[in-house]
Amino acid sequence: MSMAIDSDKAVSKNPMQRILKAFIDIRELTLLFMIAVIIIVMANLNPYFLSVSNFRALSVGMAPTAIIVIGMAILLASGGFDLSVGSVMALSSTVVAMMMLAGYSIPVSVACSLVLGAAVGFSNGMLITGLGINPLIATLGTMSIARGIALVLTEGFSLSSLPKEFGWIGKASLGGFPVLVLLTLSLILIFDLAVRHTRFFRQVYFIGANEKAAMLSGIHVGRVRIIAYVLTGVLAALAGVLLASRLMSGTPTAGNGIELQVLAAAVIGGASLRGGEGTIFGAFLGVVFVALINNSMTMLAVSIYWQMIVIGAVLVSAVALDMLIRGRRG
């Protein structure tokens, strides 16, 4: 018996095993390694992959997803999720365009769009915490309603001829870097630090890990969850406004399927569907990973339909791996 225990200790002290354990336990390390592998492989398969234009297009294209994944990661940490983010993104894109075309100023139009996103998030929070509706059903319902409103308002057409000043954030650059990307990275940094160091977000993780214990400790579970849904709605609306600024049009069909990509990125980045885990930085790396896969398949002339299959397979694999790792820990 003692010899077996000694051998186990010897194995646990093995440097390679410690490294492998770190890669499994710290999802960010795994993702950084996989991202590096994709970049190296694609650099050899396609000489244009490492071009400045490709990376600029890649970073600008994934910015809305990266903004939305902040809210999704926080919701997953609290034990919830939101499938309406793509529809909120489309609705805010449509509303900000309609208001500017109606003669309202850019600040007023943007503010109203963000308030609309907050209202949808508040509705989700009240449906889930107040009425006890399952997050899947509640956010599926608001997803359909928000998308339907966007289509009704525009009759399915995009709204163009927006003020030129509105396109500054979506198209301008500072020091050679797109303003849209700089804003996105700033939000990632701010929320990652907030999640790690503020009391409110510690409550979010506590609720996701053990809701009953959180309630017994005096945390207002319902209020915290509602705030998390409102924050997610605002971030989805912001992503819609920034998309409208980049495209210079309000698009009611924007964000179709983005909820799948956001969920996949957050889970790949270390968030758990059971709640209580995950980081903003990890979720952001998940977005980068998914974006690199899509970009690689596009550059390799893979059909868009196969790309959907691959993303779905990646999501299922990520969830299965997550359940396996947590099962072994348990």
Side-chain angles (χ1 to χ4, degrees):
M1 178 68 75
S2 62
M3 290 179 64
I5 293 173
D6 291 341
S7 64
D8 288 342
K9 288 182 178 179
V11 170
S12 65
K13 293 179 180 178
N14 188 305
M16 283 302 298
Q17 282 217 337
R18 286 202 301 270
I19 293 173
L20 288 174
K21 187 176 185 302
F23 267 91
I24 292 174
D25 292 342
I26 305 174
R27 194 69 63 86
E28 288 92 338
L29 289 178
T30 307
L31 276 175
L32 285 171
F33 174 76
M34 294 173 71
I35 288 169
V37 169
I38 293 174
I39 291 174
I40 292 171
V41 171
M42 282 302 301
N44 286 282
L45 291 177
N46 192 313
Y48 299 104
F49 179 77
L50 290 180
S51 65
V52 174
S53 59
N54 181 51
F55 272 91
R56 183 185 179 90
L58 178 66
S59 60
V60 169
M62 73 179 186
T65 309
I67 291 173
I68 295 174
V69 85
I70 296 172
M72 189 67 77
I74 293 170
L75 278 182
L76 286 170
S78 73
F81 56 89
D82 187 353
L83 297 179
S84 68
V85 289
S87 297
V88 173
M89 176 181 171
L91 181 58
S92 67
S93 169
T94 299
V95 168
V96 73
M98 288 188 69
M99 291 190 68
M100 285 186 291
L101 291 174
Y104 291 94
S105 67
I106 294 174
V108 170
S109 301
V110 171
C112 288
S113 297
L114 297 183
V115 169
L116 180 60
V120 176
F122 181 77
S123 300
N124 283 332
M126 289 302 298
L127 289 172
I128 293 164
T129 62
L131 299 180
I133 300 176
N134 184 280
L136 174 65
I137 304 302
T139 59
L140 269 176
T142 52
M143 176 182 74
S144 180
I145 292 170
R147 180 75 65 181
I149 292 173
L151 292 170
V152 167
L153 289 174
T154 62
E155 297 184 350
F157 294 100
S158 295
L159 304 174
S160 56
S161 302
L162 304 184
K164 292 183 179 179
E165 297 80 6
F166 179 63
W168 184 82
I169 294 179
K171 297 185 176 182
S173 297
L174 288 176
F177 294 95
V179 172
L180 179 58
V181 175
L182 294 176
L183 176 60
T184 301
L185 292 177
S186 299
L187 288 172
I188 294 292
L189 178 61
I190 291 169
F191 278 99
D192 187 72
L193 291 174
V195 162
R196 296 176 192 271
H197 301 293
T198 63
R199 180 174 178 271
F200 172 78
F201 289 110
R202 285 198 296 270
Q203 292 179 342
V204 168
Y205 282 82
F206 195 10
I207 291 170
N210 193 324
E211 183 176 335
K212 290 184 179 179
M215 292 178 66
L216 292 173
S217 67
I219 296 175
H220 297 282
V221 174
R223 184 173 65 187
V224 172
R225 278 206 169 128
I226 289 173
I227 293 173
Y229 275 101
V230 169
L231 176 61
T232 303
V234 171
L235 289 169
L238 176 61
V241 170
L242 295 175
L243 181 66
S245 175
R246 181 168 71 89
L247 301 178
M248 286 300 287
S249 68
T251 310
T253 56
N256 264 327
I258 198 173
E259 57 278 343
L260 174 63
Q261 292 189 32
V262 170
L263 269 173
V267 173
I268 291 169
S272 172
L273 295 178
R274 295 180 177 181
E277 296 193 32
T279 65
I280 304 300
F281 180 61
F284 170 66
L285 289 179
V287 171
V288 175
F289 177 74
V290 172
L292 280 174
I293 290 177
N294 283 330
N295 182 256
S296 299
M297 289 190 291
T298 299
M299 299 200 79
L300 294 175
V302 177
S303 167
I304 183 66
Y305 306 116
W306 279 104
Q307 292 182 31
M308 295 171 63
I309 294 173
V310 170
I311 293 300
V314 168
L315 174 59
V316 173
S317 301
V319 174
L321 179 62
D322 176 71
M323 298 295 288
L324 179 61
I325 291 172
R326 295 179 203 286
R328 290 182 61 183
R329 287 176 183 170

PDB file of all heavy atoms in Angstrom, residues 257-292:
ATOM      1  N   GLY A 257     -27.855  33.438 -35.656  1.00  0.00           N
ATOM      2  CA  GLY A 257     -26.970  32.353 -35.253  1.00  0.00           C
ATOM      3  C   GLY A 257     -25.807  32.773 -34.375  1.00  0.00           C
ATOM      4  O   GLY A 257     -25.005  31.927 -33.975  1.00  0.00           O
ATOM      5  N   ILE A 258     -25.711  34.072 -34.046  1.00  0.00           N
ATOM      6  CA  ILE A 258     -24.562  34.518 -33.249  1.00  0.00           C
ATOM      7  C   ILE A 258     -24.630  33.979 -31.822  1.00  0.00           C
ATOM      8  O   ILE A 258     -23.600  33.812 -31.163  1.00  0.00           O
ATOM      9  CB  ILE A 258     -24.467  36.061 -33.238  1.00  0.00           C
ATOM     10  CG1 ILE A 258     -23.058  36.494 -32.807  1.00  0.00           C
ATOM     11  CG2 ILE A 258     -25.530  36.674 -32.342  1.00  0.00           C
ATOM     12  CD1 ILE A 258     -22.816  37.992 -32.937  1.00  0.00           C
ATOM     13  N   GLU A 259     -25.856  33.685 -31.350  1.00  0.00           N
ATOM     14  CA  GLU A 259     -25.981  33.135 -29.990  1.00  0.00           C
ATOM     15  C   GLU A 259     -25.269  31.791 -29.875  1.00  0.00           C
ATOM     16  O   GLU A 259     -24.672  31.483 -28.833  1.00  0.00           O
ATOM     17  CB  GLU A 259     -27.451  33.004 -29.583  1.00  0.00           C
ATOM     18  CG  GLU A 259     -28.309  32.174 -30.496  1.00  0.00           C
ATOM     19  CD  GLU A 259     -28.813  32.938 -31.717  1.00  0.00           C
ATOM     20  OE1 GLU A 259     -28.767  34.189 -31.714  1.00  0.00           O
ATOM     21  OE2 GLU A 259     -29.237  32.274 -32.678  1.00  0.00           O
ATOM     22  N   LEU A 260     -25.280  31.002 -30.943  1.00  0.00           N
ATOM     23  CA  LEU A 260     -24.572  29.724 -30.941  1.00  0.00           C
ATOM     24  C   LEU A 260     -23.071  29.949 -30.848  1.00  0.00           C
ATOM     25  O   LEU A 260     -22.374  29.287 -30.064  1.00  0.00           O
ATOM     26  CB  LEU A 260     -24.908  28.926 -32.201  1.00  0.00           C
ATOM     27  CG  LEU A 260     -24.127  27.624 -32.409  1.00  0.00           C
ATOM     28  CD1 LEU A 260     -24.427  26.643 -31.288  1.00  0.00           C
ATOM     29  CD2 LEU A 260     -24.444  27.001 -33.764  1.00  0.00           C
ATOM     30  N   GLN A 261     -22.561  30.899 -31.638  1.00  0.00           N
ATOM     31  CA  GLN A 261     -21.129  31.195 -31.603  1.00  0.00           C
ATOM     32  C   GLN A 261     -20.698  31.737 -30.240  1.00  0.00           C
ATOM     33  O   GLN A 261     -19.629  31.384 -29.736  1.00  0.00           O
ATOM     34  CB  GLN A 261     -20.784  32.202 -32.696  1.00  0.00           C
ATOM     35  CG  GLN A 261     -20.911  31.660 -34.105  1.00  0.00           C
ATOM     36  CD  GLN A 261     -20.347  32.609 -35.155  1.00  0.00           C
ATOM     37  OE1 GLN A 261     -19.400  33.327 -34.893  1.00  0.00           O
ATOM     38  NE2 GLN A 261     -20.935  32.606 -36.333  1.00  0.00           N
ATOM     39  N   VAL A 262     -21.537  32.578 -29.657  1.00  0.00           N
ATOM     40  CA  VAL A 262     -21.203  33.161 -28.356  1.00  0.00           C
ATOM     41  C   VAL A 262     -21.183  32.084 -27.278  1.00  0.00           C
ATOM     42  O   VAL A 262     -20.260  32.038 -26.446  1.00  0.00           O
ATOM     43  CB  VAL A 262     -22.215  34.273 -27.994  1.00  0.00           C
ATOM     44  CG1 VAL A 262     -22.038  34.722 -26.558  1.00  0.00           C
ATOM     45  CG2 VAL A 262     -22.043  35.457 -28.931  1.00  0.00           C
ATOM     46  N   LEU A 263     -22.196  31.223 -27.287  1.00  0.00           N
ATOM     47  CA  LEU A 263     -22.223  30.125 -26.311  1.00  0.00           C
ATOM     48  C   LEU A 263     -21.024  29.206 -26.487  1.00  0.00           C
ATOM     49  O   LEU A 263     -20.381  28.800 -25.505  1.00  0.00           O
ATOM     50  CB  LEU A 263     -23.522  29.324 -26.473  1.00  0.00           C
ATOM     51  CG  LEU A 263     -24.712  29.751 -25.627  1.00  0.00           C
ATOM     52  CD1 LEU A 263     -25.953  28.970 -26.030  1.00  0.00           C
ATOM     53  CD2 LEU A 263     -24.433  29.552 -24.146  1.00  0.00           C
ATOM     54  N   ALA A 264     -20.724  28.864 -27.744  1.00  0.00           N
ATOM     55  CA  ALA A 264     -19.580  28.001 -28.018  1.00  0.00           C
ATOM     56  C   ALA A 264     -18.290  28.634 -27.516  1.00  0.00           C
ATOM     57  O   ALA A 264     -17.476  27.974 -26.850  1.00  0.00           O
ATOM     58  CB  ALA A 264     -19.478  27.722 -29.521  1.00  0.00           C
ATOM     59  N   ALA A 265     -18.109  29.911 -27.794  1.00  0.00           N
ATOM     60  CA  ALA A 265     -16.886  30.602 -27.376  1.00  0.00           C
ATOM     61  C   ALA A 265     -16.758  30.640 -25.862  1.00  0.00           C
ATOM     62  O   ALA A 265     -15.675  30.402 -25.306  1.00  0.00           O
ATOM     63  CB  ALA A 265     -16.885  32.022 -27.940  1.00  0.00           C
ATOM     64  N   ALA A 266     -17.866  30.942 -25.166  1.00  0.00           N
ATOM     65  CA  ALA A 266     -17.817  31.033 -23.706  1.00  0.00           C
ATOM     66  C   ALA A 266     -17.503  29.679 -23.074  1.00  0.00           C
ATOM     67  O   ALA A 266     -16.685  29.594 -22.143  1.00  0.00           O
ATOM     68  CB  ALA A 266     -19.139  31.568 -23.169  1.00  0.00           C
ATOM     69  N   VAL A 267     -18.133  28.618 -23.583  1.00  0.00           N
ATOM     70  CA  VAL A 267     -17.890  27.282 -23.024  1.00  0.00           C
ATOM     71  C   VAL A 267     -16.482  26.812 -23.358  1.00  0.00           C
ATOM     72  O   VAL A 267     -15.783  26.246 -22.514  1.00  0.00           O
ATOM     73  CB  VAL A 267     -18.948  26.281 -23.547  1.00  0.00           C
ATOM     74  CG1 VAL A 267     -18.605  24.865 -23.108  1.00  0.00           C
ATOM     75  CG2 VAL A 267     -20.328  26.660 -23.034  1.00  0.00           C
ATOM     76  N   ILE A 268     -16.049  27.053 -24.590  1.00  0.00           N
ATOM     77  CA  ILE A 268     -14.677  26.700 -24.966  1.00  0.00           C
ATOM     78  C   ILE A 268     -13.684  27.444 -24.089  1.00  0.00           C
ATOM     79  O   ILE A 268     -12.640  26.912 -23.713  1.00  0.00           O
ATOM     80  CB  ILE A 268     -14.428  27.029 -26.456  1.00  0.00           C
ATOM     81  CG1 ILE A 268     -15.226  26.085 -27.347  1.00  0.00           C
ATOM     82  CG2 ILE A 268     -12.941  26.939 -26.809  1.00  0.00           C
ATOM     83  CD1 ILE A 268     -15.255  26.501 -28.794  1.00  0.00           C
ATOM     84  N   GLY A 269     -14.031  28.682 -23.720  1.00  0.00           N
ATOM     85  CA  GLY A 269     -13.145  29.501 -22.895  1.00  0.00           C
ATOM     86  C   GLY A 269     -13.145  29.164 -21.422  1.00  0.00           C
ATOM     87  O   GLY A 269     -12.446  29.817 -20.645  1.00  0.00           O
ATOM     88  N   GLY A 270     -13.944  28.178 -20.992  1.00  0.00           N
ATOM     89  CA  GLY A 270     -13.896  27.742 -19.605  1.00  0.00           C
ATOM     90  C   GLY A 270     -15.162  27.935 -18.821  1.00  0.00           C
ATOM     91  O   GLY A 270     -15.252  27.510 -17.663  1.00  0.00           O
ATOM     92  N   ALA A 271     -16.182  28.598 -19.387  1.00  0.00           N
ATOM     93  CA  ALA A 271     -17.454  28.747 -18.687  1.00  0.00           C
ATOM     94  C   ALA A 271     -18.169  27.394 -18.648  1.00  0.00           C
ATOM     95  O   ALA A 271     -17.967  26.550 -19.518  1.00  0.00           O
ATOM     96  CB  ALA A 271     -18.330  29.789 -19.373  1.00  0.00           C
ATOM     97  N   SER A 272     -18.997  27.216 -17.622  1.00  0.00           N
ATOM     98  CA  SER A 272     -19.723  25.957 -17.473  1.00  0.00           C
ATOM     99  C   SER A 272     -21.215  26.210 -17.546  1.00  0.00           C
ATOM    100  O   SER A 272     -21.717  27.206 -17.013  1.00  0.00           O
ATOM    101  CB  SER A 272     -19.385  25.308 -16.123  1.00  0.00           C
ATOM    102  OG  SER A 272     -20.216  24.183 -15.889  1.00  0.00           O
ATOM    103  N   LEU A 273     -21.950  25.307 -18.201  1.00  0.00           N
ATOM    104  CA  LEU A 273     -23.402  25.408 -18.252  1.00  0.00           C
ATOM    105  C   LEU A 273     -24.016  25.181 -16.880  1.00  0.00           C
ATOM    106  O   LEU A 273     -25.187  25.491 -16.663  1.00  0.00           O
ATOM    107  CB  LEU A 273     -23.962  24.399 -19.259  1.00  0.00           C
ATOM    108  CG  LEU A 273     -23.570  24.633 -20.725  1.00  0.00           C
ATOM    109  CD1 LEU A 273     -24.143  23.529 -21.605  1.00  0.00           C
ATOM    110  CD2 LEU A 273     -24.051  25.992 -21.213  1.00  0.00           C
ATOM    111  N   ARG A 274     -23.236  24.650 -15.951  1.00  0.00           N
ATOM    112  CA  ARG A 274     -23.716  24.442 -14.580  1.00  0.00           C
ATOM    113  C   ARG A 274     -23.523  25.684 -13.723  1.00  0.00           C
ATOM    114  O   ARG A 274     -24.044  25.765 -12.623  1.00  0.00           O
ATOM    115  CB  ARG A 274     -22.969  23.264 -13.945  1.00  0.00           C
ATOM    116  CG  ARG A 274     -23.247  21.929 -14.609  1.00  0.00           C
ATOM    117  CD  ARG A 274     -22.471  20.829 -13.929  1.00  0.00           C
ATOM    118  NE  ARG A 274     -22.768  19.508 -14.494  1.00  0.00           N
ATOM    119  CZ  ARG A 274     -22.234  18.384 -14.067  1.00  0.00           C
ATOM    120  NH1 ARG A 274     -21.364  18.401 -13.061  1.00  0.00           N
ATOM    121  NH2 ARG A 274     -22.557  17.236 -14.619  1.00  0.00           N
ATOM    122  N   GLY A 275     -22.738  26.653 -14.228  1.00  0.00           N
ATOM    123  CA  GLY A 275     -22.532  27.899 -13.503  1.00  0.00           C
ATOM    124  C   GLY A 275     -21.328  27.860 -12.581  1.00  0.00           C
ATOM    125  O   GLY A 275     -20.759  26.801 -12.300  1.00  0.00           O
ATOM    126  N   GLY A 276     -20.932  29.055 -12.123  1.00  0.00           N
ATOM    127  CA  GLY A 276     -19.887  29.167 -11.110  1.00  0.00           C
ATOM    128  C   GLY A 276     -18.473  29.215 -11.629  1.00  0.00           C
ATOM    129  O   GLY A 276     -17.537  29.328 -10.832  1.00  0.00           O
ATOM    130  N   GLU A 277     -18.275  29.135 -12.952  1.00  0.00           N
ATOM    131  CA  GLU A 277     -16.917  29.109 -13.480  1.00  0.00           C
ATOM    132  C   GLU A 277     -16.815  29.924 -14.764  1.00  0.00           C
ATOM    133  O   GLU A 277     -17.820  30.270 -15.384  1.00  0.00           O
ATOM    134  CB  GLU A 277     -16.464  27.668 -13.744  1.00  0.00           C
ATOM    135  CG  GLU A 277     -16.371  26.823 -12.491  1.00  0.00           C
ATOM    136  CD  GLU A 277     -15.623  25.523 -12.721  1.00  0.00           C
ATOM    137  OE1 GLU A 277     -14.703  25.514 -13.562  1.00  0.00           O
ATOM    138  OE2 GLU A 277     -15.972  24.527 -12.077  1.00  0.00           O
ATOM    139  N   GLY A 278     -15.552  30.212 -15.149  1.00  0.00           N
ATOM    140  CA  GLY A 278     -15.295  30.931 -16.382  1.00  0.00           C
ATOM    141  C   GLY A 278     -14.742  32.316 -16.137  1.00  0.00           C
ATOM    142  O   GLY A 278     -14.934  32.902 -15.065  1.00  0.00           O
ATOM    143  N   THR A 279     -14.030  32.832 -17.129  1.00  0.00           N
ATOM    144  CA  THR A 279     -13.470  34.183 -17.061  1.00  0.00           C
ATOM    145  C   THR A 279     -13.789  34.928 -18.355  1.00  0.00           C
ATOM    146  O   THR A 279     -14.072  34.313 -19.389  1.00  0.00           O
ATOM    147  CB  THR A 279     -11.937  34.157 -16.872  1.00  0.00           C
ATOM    148  OG1 THR A 279     -11.332  33.564 -18.036  1.00  0.00           O
ATOM    149  CG2 THR A 279     -11.542  33.368 -15.629  1.00  0.00           C
ATOM    150  N   ILE A 280     -13.744  36.243 -18.290  1.00  0.00           N
ATOM    151  CA  ILE A 280     -13.971  37.053 -19.487  1.00  0.00           C
ATOM    152  C   ILE A 280     -12.842  36.844 -20.487  1.00  0.00           C
ATOM    153  O   ILE A 280     -13.082  36.731 -21.694  1.00  0.00           O
ATOM    154  CB  ILE A 280     -14.089  38.542 -19.120  1.00  0.00           C
ATOM    155  CG1 ILE A 280     -15.196  38.751 -18.083  1.00  0.00           C
ATOM    156  CG2 ILE A 280     -14.366  39.377 -20.374  1.00  0.00           C
ATOM    157  CD1 ILE A 280     -16.564  38.311 -18.529  1.00  0.00           C
ATOM    158  N   PHE A 281     -11.610  36.794 -19.990  1.00  0.00           N
ATOM    159  CA  PHE A 281     -10.473  36.588 -20.886  1.00  0.00           C
ATOM    160  C   PHE A 281     -10.562  35.231 -21.582  1.00  0.00           C
ATOM    161  O   PHE A 281     -10.297  35.111 -22.785  1.00  0.00           O
ATOM    162  CB  PHE A 281      -9.161  36.694 -20.102  1.00  0.00           C
ATOM    163  CG  PHE A 281      -7.928  36.492 -20.937  1.00  0.00           C
ATOM    164  CD1 PHE A 281      -7.641  37.347 -21.987  1.00  0.00           C
ATOM    165  CD2 PHE A 281      -7.055  35.441 -20.684  1.00  0.00           C
ATOM    166  CE1 PHE A 281      -6.506  37.163 -22.770  1.00  0.00           C
ATOM    167  CE2 PHE A 281      -5.921  35.258 -21.457  1.00  0.00           C
ATOM    168  CZ  PHE A 281      -5.652  36.115 -22.506  1.00  0.00           C
ATOM    169  N   GLY A 282     -10.961  34.202 -20.837  1.00  0.00           N
ATOM    170  CA  GLY A 282     -11.124  32.886 -21.443  1.00  0.00           C
ATOM    171  C   GLY A 282     -12.203  32.885 -22.513  1.00  0.00           C
ATOM    172  O   GLY A 282     -12.038  32.295 -23.578  1.00  0.00           O
ATOM    173  N   ALA A 283     -13.336  33.559 -22.227  1.00  0.00           N
ATOM    174  CA  ALA A 283     -14.413  33.653 -23.215  1.00  0.00           C
ATOM    175  C   ALA A 283     -13.944  34.395 -24.459  1.00  0.00           C
ATOM    176  O   ALA A 283     -14.299  34.026 -25.587  1.00  0.00           O
ATOM    177  CB  ALA A 283     -15.624  34.358 -22.597  1.00  0.00           C
ATOM    178  N   PHE A 284     -13.156  35.448 -24.260  1.00  0.00           N
ATOM    179  CA  PHE A 284     -12.612  36.198 -25.402  1.00  0.00           C
ATOM    180  C   PHE A 284     -11.696  35.302 -26.245  1.00  0.00           C
ATOM    181  O   PHE A 284     -11.771  35.316 -27.477  1.00  0.00           O
ATOM    182  CB  PHE A 284     -11.844  37.412 -24.902  1.00  0.00           C
ATOM    183  CG  PHE A 284     -11.061  38.118 -25.972  1.00  0.00           C
ATOM    184  CD1 PHE A 284     -11.698  38.764 -27.016  1.00  0.00           C
ATOM    185  CD2 PHE A 284      -9.672  38.126 -25.941  1.00  0.00           C
ATOM    186  CE1 PHE A 284     -10.968  39.399 -28.013  1.00  0.00           C
ATOM    187  CE2 PHE A 284      -8.939  38.758 -26.931  1.00  0.00           C
ATOM    188  CZ  PHE A 284      -9.594  39.396 -27.975  1.00  0.00           C
ATOM    189  N   LEU A 285     -10.853  34.519 -25.582  1.00  0.00           N
ATOM    190  CA  LEU A 285     -10.003  33.582 -26.323  1.00  0.00           C
ATOM    191  C   LEU A 285     -10.854  32.566 -27.080  1.00  0.00           C
ATOM    192  O   LEU A 285     -10.492  32.136 -28.185  1.00  0.00           O
ATOM    193  CB  LEU A 285      -9.049  32.869 -25.373  1.00  0.00           C
ATOM    194  CG  LEU A 285      -7.921  33.701 -24.768  1.00  0.00           C
ATOM    195  CD1 LEU A 285      -7.074  32.851 -23.820  1.00  0.00           C
ATOM    196  CD2 LEU A 285      -7.032  34.307 -25.850  1.00  0.00           C
ATOM    197  N   GLY A 286     -11.987  32.184 -26.498  1.00  0.00           N
ATOM    198  CA  GLY A 286     -12.910  31.293 -27.201  1.00  0.00           C
ATOM    199  C   GLY A 286     -13.443  31.935 -28.468  1.00  0.00           C
ATOM    200  O   GLY A 286     -13.575  31.277 -29.502  1.00  0.00           O
ATOM    201  N   VAL A 287     -13.741  33.244 -28.407  1.00  0.00           N
ATOM    202  CA  VAL A 287     -14.189  33.975 -29.601  1.00  0.00           C
ATOM    203  C   VAL A 287     -13.095  33.984 -30.657  1.00  0.00           C
ATOM    204  O   VAL A 287     -13.354  33.758 -31.849  1.00  0.00           O
ATOM    205  CB  VAL A 287     -14.586  35.424 -29.231  1.00  0.00           C
ATOM    206  CG1 VAL A 287     -14.841  36.250 -30.491  1.00  0.00           C
ATOM    207  CG2 VAL A 287     -15.816  35.432 -28.343  1.00  0.00           C
ATOM    208  N   VAL A 288     -11.865  34.249 -30.230  1.00  0.00           N
ATOM    209  CA  VAL A 288     -10.733  34.256 -31.162  1.00  0.00           C
ATOM    210  C   VAL A 288     -10.574  32.889 -31.810  1.00  0.00           C
ATOM    211  O   VAL A 288     -10.364  32.772 -33.032  1.00  0.00           O
ATOM    212  CB  VAL A 288      -9.441  34.664 -30.429  1.00  0.00           C
ATOM    213  CG1 VAL A 288      -8.231  34.545 -31.366  1.00  0.00           C
ATOM    214  CG2 VAL A 288      -9.542  36.084 -29.886  1.00  0.00           C
ATOM    215  N   PHE A 289     -10.699  31.834 -31.007  1.00  0.00           N
ATOM    216  CA  PHE A 289     -10.554  30.471 -31.508  1.00  0.00           C
ATOM    217  C   PHE A 289     -11.608  30.154 -32.565  1.00  0.00           C
ATOM    218  O   PHE A 289     -11.293  29.660 -33.655  1.00  0.00           O
ATOM    219  CB  PHE A 289     -10.658  29.484 -30.334  1.00  0.00           C
ATOM    220  CG  PHE A 289     -10.587  28.037 -30.727  1.00  0.00           C
ATOM    221  CD1 PHE A 289      -9.389  27.470 -31.115  1.00  0.00           C
ATOM    222  CD2 PHE A 289     -11.725  27.239 -30.705  1.00  0.00           C
ATOM    223  CE1 PHE A 289      -9.317  26.129 -31.482  1.00  0.00           C
ATOM    224  CE2 PHE A 289     -11.669  25.908 -31.067  1.00  0.00           C
ATOM    225  CZ  PHE A 289     -10.464  25.355 -31.459  1.00  0.00           C
ATOM    226  N   VAL A 290     -12.875  30.471 -32.252  1.00  0.00           N
ATOM    227  CA  VAL A 290     -13.962  30.208 -33.200  1.00  0.00           C
ATOM    228  C   VAL A 290     -13.790  31.056 -34.464  1.00  0.00           C
ATOM    229  O   VAL A 290     -13.995  30.579 -35.590  1.00  0.00           O
ATOM    230  CB  VAL A 290     -15.327  30.485 -32.542  1.00  0.00           C
ATOM    231  CG1 VAL A 290     -16.449  30.398 -33.576  1.00  0.00           C
ATOM    232  CG2 VAL A 290     -15.589  29.496 -31.412  1.00  0.00           C
ATOM    233  N   ALA A 291     -13.398  32.328 -34.288  1.00  0.00           N
ATOM    234  CA  ALA A 291     -13.191  33.210 -35.444  1.00  0.00           C
ATOM    235  C   ALA A 291     -12.062  32.702 -36.331  1.00  0.00           C
ATOM    236  O   ALA A 291     -12.154  32.767 -37.563  1.00  0.00           O
ATOM    237  CB  ALA A 291     -12.891  34.626 -34.966  1.00  0.00           C
ATOM    238  N   LEU A 292     -11.009  32.199 -35.718  1.00  0.00           N
ATOM    239  CA  LEU A 292      -9.889  31.655 -36.493  1.00  0.00           C
ATOM    240  C   LEU A 292     -10.304  30.417 -37.281  1.00  0.00           C
ATOM    241  O   LEU A 292      -9.887  30.223 -38.427  1.00  0.00           O
ATOM    242  CB  LEU A 292      -8.718  31.313 -35.565  1.00  0.00           C
ATOM    243  CG  LEU A 292      -7.834  32.479 -35.136  1.00  0.00           C
ATOM    244  CD1 LEU A 292      -6.814  32.016 -34.094  1.00  0.00           C
ATOM    245  CD2 LEU A 292      -7.113  33.094 -36.327  1.00  0.00           C
TER     246      LEU A 292
END
